């Protein structure tokens, strides 16, 4: 089965907002065996919408639309639906009661434009929007189901998760799709590909391998499709086992598309460890990455963004002599930063970074792209020096990933 995802909104086309809805919907569809055929972004223009609907009609099984639903005049998807399906708007009592209850809870006055959100095409199956006023709408024409949902991400996600996906699963027979993501750190995509070339060449036809590289890491995603779930499961397990024999030295986890901050967080929680960070060149990015994970307060103690040299001395206890001897961008300074924040935050582990992300040299004479990363542990500390090149954002991103990687490997190896 195939699907097309359509996002409606001039704000997407002019770059005012980034379309994150399509990615979320695609992942959810993939989980239940529906392949995304294409993603399209179009303007808030009635003719453009109608032309796009006609173009995808009968080309795919599902057309999932976000945006253009709301109380303002530029929200025209609902009216366009009526035109395309030769239908009329009718008031849905359940939706209207939901709108009134929602506004009452927020102690807001319900305006007529808000109540009119309860107007839906008479042929539509309403998909409940628990977090907003614009309901999802399911309509079918010939061989294609069209589903319109609000563009607000949290409203769309709730509809997809609790309404759309369960309905598709219940009403349609689909192939099984199994994914397994292998997380590797420390080697680039080309090196990894070279090491597993023979293994990859011998994959079964119903198994596909995708390389998902990012700074400092490569995710290898295996996808198996077929009618027999147990066969897929057994095959994936065997392939992961043989892959581990080849590149086990760089594999740090087996998770379903979970980034390293999630893997590391789960490991810290499992073992009851805590973590703190002292960041200079990364400017708090490691702490931001760690705390983006729900529940990270269980293991993350805090951070010191010691951007200035005197902050490293006064807050973290870095010795002036160490800086004079080795410079502010040095492994020795990184090590004292890590030990300092470990003690300050009463944490089991600490990550520290100091470097020159560029584009200018700042307080140090270190080459652009130079980064020193230190890890403090309950048993001691260690550090490594890197040069991540340029531009600035690349240096920061790679330093963040490398710091998390070093800590993850240390815990897996010794704790």
């Amino acid at each position: 089965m195939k699907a097309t995802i359509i996002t409606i909104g001039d704000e997407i086309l002019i770059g005012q907002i980034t379309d994150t809805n399509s990615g979320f919907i695609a992942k959810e569809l993939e989980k239940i065996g529906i392949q995304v055929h294409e993603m399209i972004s179009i303007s808030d223009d009635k003719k453009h919408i109608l032309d796009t609907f006609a173009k995808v009609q009968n080309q795919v099984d599902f057309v999932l639309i976000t945006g253009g639903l709301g109380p303002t005049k530029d929200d025209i998807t609902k009216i366009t639906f009526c035109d395309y399906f030769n239908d009329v708007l009718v008031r849905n009592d359940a939706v209207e009661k939901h709108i009134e209850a929602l506004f009452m809870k927020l102690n807001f006055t319900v305006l007529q434009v808000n109540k009119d959100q309860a107007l839906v095409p008479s042929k539509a199956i309403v998909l409940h929007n628990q977090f907003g006023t614009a309901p999802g709408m399911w309509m079918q024409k010939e061989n294609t189901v069209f589903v319109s949902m609000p563009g607000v991400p949290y409203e769309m996600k709730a509809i997809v998760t609790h309404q759309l996906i369960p309905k598709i699963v219940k009403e349609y027979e689909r192939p099984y799709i199994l994914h397994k993501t292998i997380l590797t750190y420390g080697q680039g995509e080309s090196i990894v590909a070279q090491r597993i070339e023979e293994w990859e060449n011998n994959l079964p036809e119903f198994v596909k391998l995708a390389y998902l590289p990012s700074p400092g890491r490569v995710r290898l995603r295996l996808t198996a499709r077929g009618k027999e779930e147990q066969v897929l499961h057994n095959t994936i397990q065997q392939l992961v086992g043989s892959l581990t024999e080849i590149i086990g030295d760089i594999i740090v986890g087996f998770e379903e598309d979970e980034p390293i901050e999630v893997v590391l967080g789960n490991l810290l929680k499992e073992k009851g460890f805590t973590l703190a960070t002292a960041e200079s060149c990364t400017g708090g990015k490691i702490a931001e990455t760690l705390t983006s994970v729900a529940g990270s307060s269980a293991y993350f103690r805090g951070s010191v963004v010691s951007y200035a040299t005197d902050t490293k001395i006064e807050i973290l206890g870095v010795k002036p002599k160490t800086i004079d001897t080795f410079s502010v961008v040095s492994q020795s300074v990184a090590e004292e930063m890590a030990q300092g924040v470990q003690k300050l935050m009463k944490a089991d582990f600490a990550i520290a970074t100091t470097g020159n992300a560029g584009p200018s040299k700042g307080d140090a004479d270190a080459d652009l792209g130079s980064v020193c990363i230190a890890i403090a542990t309950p048993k001691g500390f260690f550090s490594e020096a890197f040069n991540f090149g340029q531009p600035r954002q690349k240096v920061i991103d790679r330093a963040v990933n490398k710091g998390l990687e070093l800590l993850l490997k240390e815990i897996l190896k010794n704790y």
Side-chain angles (χ1 to χ4, degrees):
M1 304 190 79
K2 293 183 179 180
T4 290
I5 301 173
I6 300 175
T7 53
I8 299 176
D10 294 338
E11 64 275 12
I12 296 173
L13 297 177
I14 64 174
Q16 188 174 20
I17 67 169
T18 301
D19 170 30
T20 58
N21 287 350
S22 294
F24 174 82
I25 294 171
K27 285 183 179 180
E28 297 307 302
L29 291 178
E30 181 74 10
K31 291 176 184 177
I32 61 170
I34 296 177
Q35 179 184 351
V36 174
H37 179 64
E38 61 182 340
M39 298 177 182
I40 305 172
S41 292
I42 60 177
S43 61
D44 291 302
D45 176 80
K46 189 174 182 180
K47 184 178 185 304
H48 195 176
I49 297 171
L50 290 172
D51 288 346
T52 304
F53 284 2
K55 175 187 172 184
V56 299
Q57 176 74 51
N58 295 327
Q59 300 301 307
V60 293
D61 303 282
F62 297 95
V63 178
L64 305 182
I65 306 132
T66 66
L69 294 178
T72 55
K73 290 182 179 180
D74 66 339
D75 294 313
I76 61 173
T77 302
K78 188 161 54 177
I79 298 172
T80 308
F81 248 46
C82 283
D83 284 358
Y84 190 71
F85 287 93
N86 191 27
D87 202 357
V88 295
L89 294 174
V90 297
R91 192 167 295 277
N92 185 290
D93 292 338
V95 174
E96 185 166 4
K97 288 179 181 178
H98 166 69
I99 293 170
E100 292 173 346
L102 197 62
F103 274 71
M104 185 178 297
K105 184 178 180 180
L106 297 171
N107 199 27
F108 290 165
T109 301
V110 185
L111 303 176
Q112 187 60 45
V113 290
N114 302 122
K115 290 184 178 182
D116 286 346
Q117 293 283 71
L119 292 171
V120 298
S122 67
K123 301 174 186 176
I125 297 173
V126 170
L127 303 180
H128 178 58
N129 178 2
Q130 66 186 96
F131 295 124
T133 58
M137 299 175 293
W138 171 299
M139 301 184 77
Q140 183 161 354
K141 186 172 184 178
E142 299 172 2
N143 299 319
T144 302
V145 171
F146 291 77
V147 179
S148 179
M149 296 173 286
V152 180
Y154 66 86
E155 295 184 24
M156 175 277 299
K157 289 179 180 179
I159 292 175
V160 169
T161 303
H162 302 298
Q163 303 287 320
L164 177 64
I165 296 298
K167 183 174 177 62
I168 293 175
V169 169
K170 181 180 179 181
E171 298 182 7
Y172 294 86
E173 184 177 345
R174 298 146 291 102
Y176 290 104
I177 297 182
L178 292 184
H179 296 290
K180 189 70 174 181
T181 300
I182 300 96
L183 303 173
T184 74
Y185 281 83
Q187 292 186 348
E189 180 183 12
S190 59
I191 297 176
V192 175
Q194 184 178 30
R195 292 182 65 183
I196 66 173
E197 181 178 7
E198 183 177 351
W199 175 88
E200 183 178 359
N201 289 339
N202 289 298
L203 290 175
E205 289 187 1
F206 59 89
V207 178
K208 303 298 181 185
L209 174 67
Y211 291 81
L212 307 171
S214 56
R217 65 182 181 179
V218 179
R219 287 184 295 159
L220 303 173
R221 188 186 65 216
L222 287 169
T223 301
R225 298 172 183 263
K227 295 182 179 180
E228 298 182 44
E229 185 177 17
Q230 191 58 48
V231 171
L232 302 183
H233 178 77
N234 292 342
T235 302
I236 289 291
Q237 289 298 103
Q238 291 169 4
L239 290 170
V240 169
S242 59
L243 181 64
T244 303
E245 293 178 3
I246 303 171
I247 56 169
D249 58 309
I250 59 171
I251 291 175
V252 296
F254 303 92
E255 300 291 338
E256 281 305 324
D257 292 325
E258 289 188 337
I260 190 170
E261 59 267 22
V262 174
V263 178
L264 178 59
N266 289 338
L267 185 62
L268 290 167
K269 281 194 292 187
E270 176 189 327
K271 295 184 176 293
F273 290 138
T274 56
L275 170 64
T277 63
E279 303 184 56
S280 183
C281 61
T282 48
K285 188 72 175 180
I286 298 178
E288 179 188 357
T289 302
L290 289 165
T291 56
S292 69
V293 180
S296 54
S297 59
Y299 51 84
F300 187 67
R301 297 285 295 170
S303 178
V304 174
V305 181
S306 53
Y307 216 61
T309 300
D310 56 356
T311 305
K312 295 177 178 66
I313 296 170
E314 296 168 9
I315 305 298
L316 295 176
V318 176
K319 300 180 183 66
K321 184 178 180 180
T322 303
I323 295 174
D324 292 339
T325 303
F326 300 102
S327 91
V328 73
V329 178
S330 63
Q331 291 179 243
S332 297
V333 168
E335 289 166 359
E336 292 189 9
M337 289 172 62
Q339 294 173 85
V341 80
Q342 180 189 36
K343 180 179 179 180
L344 182 67
M345 299 290 179
K346 298 180 174 62
D348 298 303
F349 293 88
I351 304 172
T353 62
T354 181
N356 187 354
S360 61
K361 288 198 171 185
D363 291 347
D365 292 328
D367 292 337
L368 296 181
S370 298
V371 177
C372 296
I373 303 174
I375 306 294
T377 78
K379 300 176 182 179
F381 58 88
F382 66 92
S383 64
E384 291 191 32
F386 307 90
N387 192 299
F388 296 131
Q390 286 288 282
R392 178 181 177 83
Q393 193 58 51
K394 174 187 174 183
V395 176
I396 294 171
D397 290 343
R398 293 194 66 181
V400 170
N401 279 299
K402 181 58 71 172
L404 297 177
E405 173 201 336
L406 291 174
L407 177 58
L408 180 61
K409 285 184 174 180
E410 172 66 15
I411 297 175
L412 290 173
K413 182 180 178 181
N414 296 315
Y415 295 88

